[in-house]
Amino acid sequence: MKKNQIGKLVAFSILFGYFISGIIGSYAWLIPIALLMFLGSYGANRAMDRRNVSGA
């Protein structure tokens, strides 16, 4: 690898990191909500499965 290639790679990774952290920063409050919704639906599905098994 040449030095200018490494420089480009570092600059790209830094820019990409800023971009990703910007997205995460603006949507950080959505992540826990999405996790709670996912866990809630997963738990409901598990409960329904258990009820179906015990009912049968």
Side-chain angles (χ1 to χ4, degrees), residues 21-41:
S21 61
I23 288 170
I24 289 168
S26 54
Y27 292 106
W29 58 275
L30 280 175
I31 292 168
I33 294 168
L35 272 171
L36 280 170
M37 282 173 71
F38 173 74
L39 285 172
S41 63

Side-chain angles (χ1 to χ4, degrees), residues 1-8:
M1 257 197 160
K2 293 181 197 128
K3 261 194 179 156
N4 61 349
Q5 274 185 312
I6 292 167
K8 274 182 194 169

